Amino acid sequence: GIWIDDCSNFSLADLEAHDLGGNFGGGATTRWSRGIAMGGNSDWTSTNPRAWNVDQGHDVTGSEGNTRFEIVGGLTHDCYTWGWKFANTARDGTITGAVAVRCGASGFVVSGPSDTEAILTSDLTLVGCCAYDTGSNGQTIAGKAGFRILNGGGGAANSTRGIRFIGCKAHDRQSVRTMTHGFQNDVPANADGRYNEVINCVSIGNLST
């Protein structure tokens, strides 16, 4: 949809991407598409980005390092896997008031890379974000958490640190619920003080206790 790569010192407003995909031999699918993709950018802000009917709604990822950024507002819905993804090298960012609805794997996911990079995903704060009806699109994807922190691999294992969810809500409102966890963290606590924290958050309708 929209791909912004290797840029710095910029602001974005009201980006919109939707209805992306194709037929790759197994019938029409939105899988493998990106709504809004950010790779290797620094010192940027985005206000009210929106993406729907894609695989990954808003993808802040890459191997070059997305650093020092702020996202205010925004909506992703009906995404095949992730609504909002902050992966590999996303660091020193704040996401406020973002919403994900009916996303297949997670409304929000934060994850490290599979190998060591110069910059590793860490030190992100999500404030007042909401994930609704996660997993409702019927895709057989493990996890299905409203908010999830995934571990990195190889030399980046246990490096996804300092992730904070503050005042966020995971809510499955369906008559047949599909959200396994409201909040799930796969990274063990570490001794450097950059804990992954869930602060004043709520999970409603999760299948797992």
Side-chain angles (χ1 to χ4, degrees), residues 17-53:
H18 54 89
D19 301 310
L20 302 173
N23 187 332
F24 308 104
T29 180
T30 60
R31 196 164 193 186
W32 305 296
S33 65
R34 300 290 189 274
I36 301 167
M38 310 293 291
N41 302 306
S42 62
D43 303 292
W44 56 275
T45 63
S46 181
T47 304
N48 195 34
R50 289 160 293 171
W52 65 93
N53 198 26

Side-chain angles (χ1 to χ4, degrees), residues 136-178:
S136 60
N137 63 2
Q139 305 302 331
T140 56
I141 300 166
K144 297 185 178 180
F147 297 78
R148 188 169 185 184
I149 303 173
L150 288 169
N151 210 339
N158 302 334
S159 63
T160 311
R161 306 177 181 181
I163 312 303
R164 307 174 79 219
F165 302 124
I166 303 174
C168 297
K169 179 172 72 171
H171 190 180
D172 192 334
R173 306 162 297 182
Q174 306 169 93
S175 58
V176 179
R177 294 175 293 170
T178 55

